[in-house]
Amino acid sequence: TVLLFKVPADTNLGQMKKVIEEQVAKTEHAMPKLPVEMLVNTIAGGNIELKVMAWVESIYAEPNFKSELMTGLVQQMNEMGVKIG
């Protein structure tokens, strides 16, 4: 599955990748032995658009996986003071 979201250009991308990997590992439907990829998709207007790619167990589990992952990422980024665009 693929998720796109924007973060400020001054965001620590190493730390962001670690947070994303941790949050994916916490979800119920992620495939644990396959890697999570975080790619820089675009840079514009003081923001970096990130593309997160992760494997899920089933296409039918994808909506729940995305919701669970996005909820965890929003909470974690709010705690870190990172604004999502």
Side-chain angles (χ1 to χ4, degrees), residues 6-36:
K6 294 178 184 175
V7 294
D10 62 353
T11 301
N12 180 328
L13 296 181
Q15 183 181 19
M16 185 59 56
K17 182 169 175 58
K18 183 179 175 189
V19 167
I20 290 168
E21 289 171 343
E22 290 171 355
Q23 290 300 320
V24 168
K26 290 179 183 178
T27 63
E28 185 177 341
H29 301 287
M31 295 182 72
K33 296 190 183 213
L34 295 172
V36 176

Side-chain angles (χ1 to χ4, degrees), residues 37-55:
E37 294 188 58
M38 183 192 84
L39 306 171
V40 174
N41 204 40
T42 59
I43 301 171
N47 289 313
I48 299 172
E49 183 178 75
L50 299 177
K51 178 187 265 189
V52 176
M53 296 186 294
W55 291 90

